[in-house]
Amino acid sequence: MIHQFDITLDHFVVADGKAVAAKGAKPLGRLNSEELLHLLEVFRNTNPIQAFEAEPEIVIHTRHEKYAVRTDLHRLHLYDLRHPDLPAQVLEAPALIAEVNLSASEARASRIKSAQGDTPDESGTGFSNNRVPSLPFMGPSRTLTPHSHAPWLLGSLAVFLAISSLACLILFRGEPKPVPDSLITEVNALSTLRRQLAGVYTTGNSPGHHGIVILPDGTLKLFEINRDLPPSLLQETYELGLFQGKPCLVIDRLEPLILAPSAGTLLYCDQLYRKAETGEAPPR
Amino acid sequence: MSGSNAAELVRRQSKGGSLTGLLVGLVCLLLGLFVAQQLISHFRHKSRCEKHLQNLASFVAAIQDYQARTGSVPPGNFGTRDFPKGLELALAKSPWLEPSPFGGSYVWISPLPERALDDDLGRESPYVGAIGIQAFPPESELALTREDLAYLREQLDTGRIPGASHAVGFTGWPLCKVKPRR
């Protein structure tokens, strides 16, 4: 089968074999495979510096396809203009012609069928293996290129790292802080409960015992009774809430909940605090 | 369409691909940093816990020695940063007077204040006291997390230090309760 190709030259003078930036696109006419092979060889031998400056190009039209051939360091780059997202193939002139006249892709299809144990129907395909030039490996495949692998590899790495991060969070997270079931925000209820809870609560009156002074202004003092020294004090602000239906004070500590299980008692860090008699002065 | 346009499209595509790779790489880097930060934080806290446990082991041994030798336990040193009375020599080379790995200072609590949950069975507590950490102002706050507390509890309650167990102390500070040596 004789193939014909419509050729247009851009920035290239075929007679001199020179690349000229001032030379515009010029149709060369219809060439057969042998003529195209000669043209490509001439084109391939373009001075690389001229090729770099003028960017010469051969545009090849076939019945259904349109290609562009460019050159740099005596190499030929084939672009499929109908699929501009595909990278160029660097080919020798015979292999390039085989790509353009589709015999290369048909040969690949034939080899795939052979590998699958299916005898190719040569009469149906209209070509003979003898006519297909022996093709070296064509370099990057059109569907699986190293370039197209990179995002997938990086994406897989990102997914792996995301899963690792989640695992770290799950494995290394501390125990959750106990939280009240709800916070009391209604002003009247808040001030009433603050007044009811206000007072001095202690676990005892010996050194090492602890106490809590609740003030109705939303602050409290945690203290420890010392042997021969004034009590050690910590000052906090508190919010009021409900925990399992009972009032509680919420503070910013490792143990954030002070429970009020009944009137006159507090439960904090497993210690029971009892309200001191009225008139007992809180520690300063 | 000219070949220049095709080449330009190819160039743009190539540029787009590298931009995607850059963004994905950036995300990977951020995730990697996050994982590294989590790991570093975890191991930093664990090393603090380990140092604290080593300190406790030496303190518990000194207290148990004193109890075995004298038949009594040193009185609590509430409110001071001194050695417990009678343990001055035993603890002289220990880090008792240094800040704990979490901040604050060590304190010996004895006798133990009554604890609400210890009274349930009405039995006498076998513990003669507890080593605690205190951080009352003007000392620095404790840099202690709930994760640290969970690790200390696990280590002490599984027999890491013979005769010692964990308890939650005042405001959640950790306590190491001490039993006499058998």
Side-chain angles (χ1 to χ4, degrees):
Chain A
M1 183 178 181
I2 297 172
H3 293 280
Q4 296 285 326
F5 309 96
D6 286 322
I7 305 296
T8 303
L9 300 178
D10 196 8
H11 300 173
F12 186 65
V13 182
V14 68
D16 304 335
K18 285 183 179 176
V20 182
K23 193 79 176 174
K26 182 185 173 188
L28 189 65
R30 184 162 292 187
L31 304 184
N32 60 28
S33 296
E34 284 184 7
E35 291 166 332
L36 179 59
L37 184 65
H38 176 71
L39 174 64
L40 289 172
E41 290 298 338
V42 172
F43 185 65
R44 190 170 68 85
N45 289 321
T46 306
N47 184 306
I49 296 172
Q50 289 179 9
F52 176 77
E53 289 173 350
E55 295 187 336
E57 195 170 77
I58 299 173
V59 179
I60 304 172
H61 297 259
T62 63
R63 183 178 293 177
H64 300 295
E65 301 293 335
K66 188 177 179 184
Y67 300 93
V69 183
R70 303 184 78 173
T71 184
D72 53 6
L73 299 169
H74 303 303
R75 294 180 301 187
L76 297 172
H77 298 253
L78 177 67
Y79 294 91
D80 185 343
L81 297 184
R82 298 201 190 281
H83 301 94
D85 54 329
L86 293 177
Q89 296 183 75
V90 181
L91 300 167
E92 296 294 326
L96 191 149
I97 293 171
E99 285 292 329
V100 172
N101 66 20
L102 302 181
S103 59
S105 61
E106 287 167 355
R108 282 195 292 271
S110 171
R111 280 201 296 274
I112 291 168
K113 279 188 177 177
S114 304
Q116 290 171 342
D118 187 8
T119 307
D121 179 7
E122 291 196 7
S123 60
T125 54
F127 71 93
S128 160
N129 278 342
N130 294 334
R131 290 172 53 199
V132 178
S134 175
L135 297 175
F137 175 64
M138 290 300 180
S141 151
R142 288 187 171 208
T143 53
L144 288 172
T145 65
H147 178 75
S148 67
H149 281 173
W152 287 107
L153 284 173
L154 289 171
S156 306
L157 187 62
V159 170
F160 169 75
L161 286 172
I163 292 169
S164 305
S165 307
L166 278 175
C168 280
L169 277 179
I170 291 167
L171 286 174
F172 301 149
R173 70 179 174 184
E175 289 183 4
K177 275 188 174 187
V179 290
D181 299 330
S182 61
L183 286 175
I184 297 170
T185 52
E186 203 272 311
V187 178
N188 289 336
L190 201 60
S191 59
T192 305
L193 192 56
R194 276 180 178 171
R195 277 200 302 275
Q196 284 175 359
L197 289 172
V200 182
Y201 300 76
T202 61
T203 59
N205 53 14
S206 304
H209 284 106
H210 301 127
I212 301 172
V213 182
I214 299 176
L215 300 171
D217 63 355
T219 61
L220 59 78
K221 289 172 183 169
L222 300 160
F223 66 91
E224 184 175 79
I225 299 171
N226 295 319
R227 189 177 301 281
D228 302 316
L229 298 165
S232 305
L233 277 174
L234 291 169
Q235 187 140 357
E236 287 280 350
T237 58
Y238 68 86
E239 291 180 279
L240 288 172
L242 292 174
F243 184 77
Q244 295 176 351
K246 302 281 185 185
C248 68
L249 293 87
V250 188
I251 59 176
D252 187 21
R253 288 271 146 195
L254 276 172
E255 289 291 327
L257 290 189
I258 302 174
L259 305 178
S262 59
T265 60
L266 298 177
L267 186 61
Y268 184 50
C269 297
D270 295 348
Q271 287 189 300
L272 194 65
Y273 292 73
R274 296 182 191 284
K275 197 169 188 177
E277 294 298 322
T278 312
E280 188 172 332
R284 292 175 188 281
Chain B
M1 186 170 97
S2 75
S4 302
N5 291 339
E8 182 60 27
L9 283 172
V10 170
R11 213 176 291 133
R12 280 185 195 174
Q13 193 274 335
S14 166
K15 194 175 172 184
S18 65
L19 185 65
T20 307
L22 185 70
L23 288 173
V24 174
L26 195 63
V27 170
C28 288
L29 181 69
L30 290 174
L31 284 170
L33 287 174
F34 176 71
V35 172
Q37 190 266 338
Q38 289 286 318
L39 285 171
I40 289 168
S41 167
H42 173 72
F43 288 115
R44 185 184 293 143
H45 278 276
K46 196 173 173 187
S47 74
R48 285 180 187 165
C49 290
E50 288 297 324
K51 179 79 174 95
H52 177 61
L53 287 166
Q54 283 175 16
N55 292 349
L56 287 180
S58 65
F59 303 155
V60 169
I63 291 165
Q64 288 175 333
D65 279 347
Y66 180 93
Q67 204 271 341
R69 204 172 59 246
T70 65
S72 62
V73 289
N77 62 341
F78 307 106
T80 71
R81 296 193 61 185
D82 299 336
F83 292 115
K85 270 187 183 171
L87 291 179
E88 292 86 351
L89 280 177
L91 294 178
K93 291 183 180 174
S94 76
W96 180 271
L97 297 184
E98 296 170 12
S100 87
F102 308 108
S105 57
Y106 288 109
V107 63
W108 170 241
I109 302 160
S110 182
L112 281 174
E114 302 80 11
R115 302 183 69 74
L117 301 183
D118 278 354
D119 296 336
D120 288 351
L121 296 176
R123 292 185 301 194
E124 189 178 349
S125 171
Y127 297 100
V128 294
I131 300 163
I133 303 176
Q134 290 186 336
F136 289 108
E139 294 174 76
S140 59
E141 284 284 307
L142 289 181
L144 192 74
T145 64
R146 301 187 73 81
E147 182 191 351
D148 296 331
L149 281 176
Y151 183 75
L152 293 175
R153 179 185 299 121
E154 180 198 340
Q155 294 294 308
L156 287 176
D157 289 350
T158 53
R160 167 80 176 261
I161 302 173
S165 66
H166 177 82
V168 174
F170 185 53
T171 80
W173 297 337
L175 287 182
C176 171
K177 295 195 289 185
V178 180
K179 278 194 284 195
R181 188 180 292 154
R182 288 182 184 176

